[in-house]
Each structure stands twice: as C-alpha cells, then as structure tokens.
Amino acid sequence: MSINQLALFGGRPAFDRPLHVGRPNIGSRKRFFELLEGALDRGWLTNSGPLVDEFEKKVSDYVGVKHCVSICNATIALEIAIRAAKLDGEVIVPSFTFVATAHALQWQRITPVFCDIDPVTHCLDPARVEALITPRTTGIIPVHLWSRPCNVEALAEIARRRNLTLIYDAAHAFGCSHNGKMVGGFGNAEVFSFHATKFFNTFEGGAIVTNDDRLAADVRLMRNFGFSGYDNVVSVGTNGKMCEAAAAMGLTSLESLAQFVETNRRNLELYRRCLARLPGVRLLTFDEDERRNYQYVVLEIDESTADLHRDKVLALLQAENVLARRYFWPGCHRMEPYKTLFPNAGSLLPVTEGVADRILVLPTGTGVTSQDIETICGLIRKGIKQSGDLRTLQRASEPLPR
Ligand code: T4K
C-alpha cells in the first residue's frame, strides 16, 4: 500500500457531512431575532445605532479599556488604526499570520518587513525585531497568534526605546489575558476580529480598542468618512462602520461567550487525551492560569518522527470529510505581492518556514461533538501508524549494508 492510499480507509468517508474548521458558534436565535426586530422597528440599521453603541460599551467594559470602536471587519480596522497612528515607511510584522496583517500595510503603500517567530509561541520573536529596525521603521504590528499573547513586555520595551508605535493584531485573542490583564489594553491599540470563523462573531466585524483618547477620536472619525457632524468633514476617512445586524449578533454572542470558551476548552482537552503519546504529533498548549478562548486546535506534526508529512495527514482527513486547515501556510512572504517584492525573505524566516510546514488546524467549536473528535483522532492515529508500519517494512526490505 502506498502512503497516498492511506486516505482511503474504507469505501465511504468517516463523516457524511463536512466538518469544517471555522464553523461559527451561534448563540440564542431567539435573542438575536428579538434584537434584530428592534432594529427593524426603529428603522435604524447602521451609522451608530443603539445596538452598536451598546455593543461597544459592553466590549470595552469586558476588556477593561477606555475605548472600543467597532468596525465592519478586522482588516479595515487594522487599516484605520495604521492610518490614524500615522504609520508610514516600514512596519515590522510576522509573516506567519493571516495575509490581512500584511495587506493592511501594503494597501496603504507601507512596506511590511517580515520578522521571524518564536518556535514555541509562534508569535513575533522580539529578539529578531531589533535587527530589522531602520530609519524608515515607524511601527510594529505583532499578532497574538492562536490566542496566546505575544511577549508584550519585550515588545513594549523595544517600541519605547526605539520610539515606535505598537499596534497588536489581536484577531485571535478576544477574551484572553496576559498576567491577568485582558488583551486589548496592550500597545497603542489592539484590533479584534469578530469574523464568522472566530469563536465569537458578529457575522463580519472587528474593533479597535485603545486607552488613547486622541487615537480613539481619530479612528472614530476615519471610520465614518471623516465626518465630525452633519456636513462637516475634518479628515480623510472611509466607511468602516459596523451595522446594527452585526451588533445584534455581537450582543447575542456576548451572552454565550463563556459557554463557547468552555466548549472549546473541553474539545481541546479531549483532543489532547485522544492524541496523547502519538510520535511526532504535538498539540499546542495553553497557560491554564490565563484566560484563553481555545478557538484554534493546533497540531504540529514533525515528519521525521511521525513518518508522515502534515500534508498527507491533511489529505487523509479531507478524504474523510474533515476539512482541517494548514493555517498559515505558506507564510505571507510566499504569497503575492510579497514573494515578488521580497524574493529572498525566506532566508531570514527559517522558523516561520519550518512551523508553516508542520501546522494543521483541526475543527472545534459548538458544532463538533466528542464523538467527532474521537473519530478525527482515530483517523490521525491510524494514518500515522500505517505510515510508520510501511516505513518499517520498506526499511526491512532494503538490502543489508555490506
Ligand atoms: N489578522 C489575523 C491574524 C486573522 O486571522 C484575520 C482573519 C484577520 C487579521 C482579518 O480579520 P477579518 O478582516 O476577517 O475580520 C478565514 C477568515 O475569513 C478570516 O477572518 C480569518 N482570519 C482566517 C484565519 O480564516 P479563510 O480564507 O480561511 O476563510 P474560508 O472562507 O476558507 O473559511 C474558513 C473555514 O470556515 C472553512 O472551513 C469554512 C468555514 N466557514 C466559514 C464561514 C465564513 C463556515 O463554516 N461558516 C462560515 O460562515 O479565512
């Protein structure tokens, strides 16, 4: 049997429905429709409606920051935050992130300078940031990847000493803490994503959170075309507003947030038990003393020990209707326009390239049952065992060295 045939354990796939990574968590439909009815009755659907105001107040209270400015999605939120903070020239970012982090800069003709990551946390490695700072550098945009906060102390120290603006891409880290302080209060500003695929969603949506009064005022203006009142435009702006339907979903999701986190935590725990002691396979760990949302179940597969490359495991799972994802392969620096602009970037990103080659993200959330997880883990175990047996057979059939 070849390794490619491993994907075909039986005639029919293990799941008769696709099991997606990124399946939305949906709270009380009754509550959502009530809120939506209210908006329809009021005839106020967007442009700073009461649901958006309430959502922003609840998010800023929950996170413990002075200002929450809701935005139509996190990509536009990053763009607005970058512009309001007057970044230009070069900005240091990880390449191991969703491409939106880099695009938010490139879109504004700011050069993203890709920095390598820490092999354990997968977040920007502060030790590598300093060497990339040039006279053109104006800021750093680290990403709290997989909901685990970056080394915020080291990054704050570099930013302070080198006079750089620090904006966190916190798309993965809503509801998380570092040393007991909620993510949202670090750096000059942080940006959350409330996209459908995040554990907490507003369909599409995001927010800029900050304790900086001036920055908050500026992003509010920019989110609404630069209007400071009727007929009075005081700056360049865009349309980054969240609508009432999205805020209704956000308010509904907030009421179920604790349940979403608990479901994700339980799922992760079960994955951990079911994948224990599997050679070459490591599940990402989380600091249990801190608040986490556990929204990504991240598997690192080391081919040299597992005898099976991550892509084979992916193919095997896909054939069984498990739509796992290899986030964030191949890294932004290997996507356009960056791979043309910076063809040699990979040579400075050895950790990124290695991690991007090993990561597999598995389904979790309220739509995944314990039985689903046991079956998924069984498939992974079986694939790795069969591959190991095959390699052993191959080695045994090799001629003995003379
Ligand atoms: N920074 C970081 C670090 C991010 O991860 C992201 C977004 C951003 C910034 C930008 O945030 P936003 O501007 O999006 O607010 C998905 C999401 O679209 C994206 O929001 C997310 N990160 C990224 C990690 O994942 P794709 O290209 O993988 O999307 P797609 O369409 O392939 O869907 C992903 C999975 O989710 C599929 O298995 C299908 C499933 N899905 C998706 C949707 C939309 C559902 O089951 N139901 C749904 O409604 O980017």
Side-chain angles (χ1 to χ4, degrees), residues 264-281:
N264 283 347
R265 198 193 59 73
R266 270 205 316 268
N267 286 349
L268 180 72
E269 202 36 55
L270 185 55
Y271 271 115
R272 192 175 308 295
R273 282 207 303 278
C274 295
L275 292 172
R277 291 181 297 283
L278 192 54
V281 172

Side-chain angles (χ1 to χ4, degrees), residues 4 44 65 168 292 314 319 367 373 375 379 392-393:
N4 283 337
W44 197 271
V65 287
Y168 283 101
R292 296 286 176 263
L314 175 68
I373 294 173
T375 306
L379 292 168
T392 311
L393 275 175

Side-chain angles (χ1 to χ4, degrees), residues 183-211:
V183 167
F186 297 104
N188 298 79
E190 303 209 50
V191 169
F192 292 127
S193 171
F194 305 135
H195 183 260
T197 55
K198 300 291 183 271
F199 87 105
F200 169 92
N201 85 84
T202 60
F203 292 102
E204 288 271 3
I208 301 167
V209 286
T210 180
N211 288 312

Side-chain angles (χ1 to χ4, degrees), residues 70-133:
S70 63
I71 306 282
C72 54
N73 62 58
T75 307
I76 301 291
L78 280 167
E79 288 172 16
I80 293 176
I82 287 164
R83 190 179 273 264
K86 301 190 173 54
L87 297 189
D88 62 9
E90 296 173 0
V91 171
I92 297 169
V93 284
S95 170
F96 192 60
T97 175
F98 190 59
V99 74
T101 320
H103 278 355
L105 291 162
Q106 187 70 28
W107 190 255
Q108 310 191 64
R109 300 186 191 282
I110 299 169
T111 305
V113 175
F114 296 120
C115 180
D116 216 354
I117 52 168
D118 180 287
V120 177
T121 66
H122 301 172
C123 292
L124 202 62
D125 184 351
R128 304 204 170 260
V129 169
E130 196 109 22
L132 299 175
I133 299 173

Side-chain angles (χ1 to χ4, degrees), residues 236-254:
V236 70
T238 185
N239 182 354
K241 289 171 272 110
M242 179 179 272
C243 71
E244 290 287 271
M249 188 63 165
L251 289 166
T252 309
S253 298
L254 274 177

